[in-house]
Amino acid sequence: MGKDYYAILGVPKDAKDEQLKTAYRKQALLWHPDRHKNDTEKANAKFKDISEAYEVLSNAEKRKIYDQFGEEGLKSGVPPGGGANGSGFPGGGFTNGGTTFRFTSGGPGGGGGGFPGFHPSNPEDIFAQLFGGGLSSMGGQEHGAQFMNVEDSMGGVGGLHGFGFDGGRGRSTPSSRRPQEVTRPLQCSLEELYKGCTKKLKVTRRIRGPKGNISTAEKVLQIDVKPGWKAGTKVRFSNEGDDMGNGAQDIVFVIEEKPHPLFKRDGDDLKLDLGLTLDEALCGFKKPVQLLNGKSIQINNSNSVVQPGKVSRMPNYGMPISKQPGRFGALVITYTVQFPASLTQGQKEMIHKALTE
């Protein structure tokens, strides 16, 4: 059973933004680890759950996915439509550049579309975002907190900004705690993860000088995404975040996979749902499919009847295997068959005659 984010915040399932903010502020102040020095393990777990619940429920897309699929579906990605196992086509295959490849059997059914797995943000970042600083900015403990926000604009150069507060006076001060790393998602399309790409993000970091003055410095961080990287892959930039006097923060980007309209990734394999009419399933078909590398292949079958849920596995047409250059996963196709809503009496008689003779 996954986490009940509504119960964690103590809000109804139709809670609006203001209700969520009020509930988060109340719970976060109650369970902030700095107020539970004698039981930091429990407080850290509670504080993390509260932040995670707010982050999900305050985001319309994440909340919709959570409401439908729960915590497991949100974090692992939306599960595709199921499909039955089945054997390949004895007389079918696909053609690419004049070469015919035979269908092989095996593999589970797959689906298209979906939602990439959710990676919770740093709880202190969310706290600082809603309270305008760390616990100390409200007259709490002795240190401030840094918050950094990435704005990745169309996969190009975004902005990254940080700040610290102390003592409720809006004055920055060095933290007595070792700076936490800042984790942010980096969304990539399936095409980018297939071919590889370069992402650039502009960082604006704040630096405390020896006399307490705050200066800013900008830098463009470049991330070379390698072919075959998966969701969850981390890229660390050491000491590139804010330095408020106790050492610079590390910035960690976590790869997230954007939903694709046609394919769903499963490890190194690509899954595809291919819809057929009843005529195509019974009499054969030819269908072009454009791959992630831009090339087109033709899926065809002429000699066998396609059962709904049948699966065909095509080796070497999946994702690149990042740790094994030159090798690829498989393209796994699950076939769906659309039956007509109704038939006339004449059509029924013709079909009956064709199938019984």
Side-chain angles (χ1 to χ4, degrees):
M1 188 72 179
K3 297 175 184 176
D4 186 340
Y5 291 146
Y6 295 96
I8 289 172
L9 290 182
V11 296
K13 292 194 174 182
D14 60 351
K16 300 297 188 289
D17 288 346
E18 284 305 312
Q19 288 177 277
L20 294 172
K21 288 181 181 178
T22 300
Y24 169 79
R25 290 187 176 110
K26 178 181 177 180
Q27 295 291 335
L29 285 174
L30 179 64
W31 286 105
H32 196 286
D34 286 345
R35 291 185 169 177
H36 297 269
K37 297 293 186 181
N38 296 328
D39 195 0
T40 55
E41 183 175 348
K42 179 180 179 181
N44 278 323
K46 286 276 192 181
F47 188 61
K48 180 180 178 182
D49 285 347
I50 293 163
S51 300
E52 185 176 314
Y54 176 75
E55 184 177 11
V56 172
L57 299 184
S58 62
N59 181 284
E61 183 184 15
K62 292 183 177 69
R63 185 173 181 174
K64 182 178 179 181
I65 297 299
Y66 169 76
D67 286 344
Q68 187 172 358
F69 298 102
E71 180 196 8
E72 182 180 357
L74 179 73
K75 291 184 176 179
S76 62
V78 175
N85 291 338
S87 60
F89 299 152
F94 66 94
T95 303
N96 181 26
T99 303
T100 299
F101 300 82
R102 296 294 175 183
F103 290 131
T104 58
S105 63
F115 179 86
F118 163 65
H119 302 281
S121 298
N122 188 321
E124 291 286 355
D125 288 355
I126 296 175
F127 189 89
Q129 187 177 26
L130 268 77
F131 286 102
L135 186 61
S136 60
S137 67
M138 294 159 288
Q141 302 300 317
E142 72 278 9
H143 65 273
Q146 290 76 42
F147 170 68
M148 307 186 82
N149 181 41
V150 176
E151 299 170 352
D152 186 2
S153 176
M154 299 300 290
V157 178
L160 189 66
H161 310 280
F163 53 84
F165 299 85
D166 180 68
R169 297 181 296 276
R171 177 177 60 84
S172 299
T173 186
S175 171
S176 60
R177 176 185 295 179
R178 183 180 182 276
Q180 296 179 324
E181 68 182 30
V182 177
T183 302
R184 284 291 176 267
L186 181 68
Q187 290 202 338
C188 296
S189 68
L190 210 48
E191 286 85 355
E192 289 173 329
L193 294 174
Y194 184 94
K195 301 175 184 177
C197 66
T198 297
K199 295 275 190 176
K200 294 183 179 181
L201 300 105
K202 184 169 67 175
V203 176
T204 302
R205 58 191 302 241
R206 296 172 68 104
I207 304 169
R208 170 179 288 279
K211 296 183 180 180
N213 58 305
I214 302 297
S215 62
T216 60
E218 291 187 350
K219 184 175 181 179
V220 175
L221 301 181
Q222 178 171 309
I223 301 174
D224 294 319
V225 178
K226 305 300 182 185
W229 274 9
K230 298 176 181 178
T233 299
K234 294 183 178 181
V235 182
R236 178 181 297 272
F237 291 90
S238 299
N239 302 318
E240 294 290 359
D242 279 2
D243 185 349
M244 304 306 291
N246 63 323
Q249 294 175 306
D250 290 354
I251 304 173
V252 180
F253 293 99
V254 181
I255 298 295
E256 287 189 356
E257 188 179 290
K258 295 179 182 178
H260 193 276
L262 191 62
F263 299 107
K264 171 70 176 179
R265 185 174 186 174
D266 182 15
D268 296 319
D269 293 341
L270 288 174
K271 291 185 173 182
L272 167 67
D273 273 350
L274 193 63
L276 303 176
T277 64
L278 181 58
D279 173 66
E280 289 173 326
L282 296 174
C283 304
F285 64 88
K286 291 183 179 180
K287 286 184 176 290
V289 173
Q290 185 168 340
L291 302 175
L292 296 176
N293 61 8
K295 297 180 180 178
S296 182
I297 61 174
Q298 190 174 81
I299 312 296
N300 67 74
N301 174 62
S302 58
N303 297 332
S304 61
V305 172
V306 182
Q307 301 291 337
K310 178 169 284 190
V311 175
S312 294
R313 185 178 180 86
M314 304 179 181
N316 301 318
Y317 277 78
M319 293 293 293
I321 302 176
S322 59
K323 295 183 180 179
Q324 301 179 46
R327 296 192 62 186
F328 296 80
L331 175 61
V332 182
I333 303 177
T334 300
Y335 299 88
T336 60
V337 180
Q338 183 176 358
F339 286 76
S342 62
L343 294 172
T344 65
Q345 186 60 37
Q347 289 173 325
K348 293 179 181 179
E349 291 175 356
M350 290 175 64
I351 293 174
H352 178 75
K353 183 178 179 181
L355 296 177
T356 56
E357 286 184 349

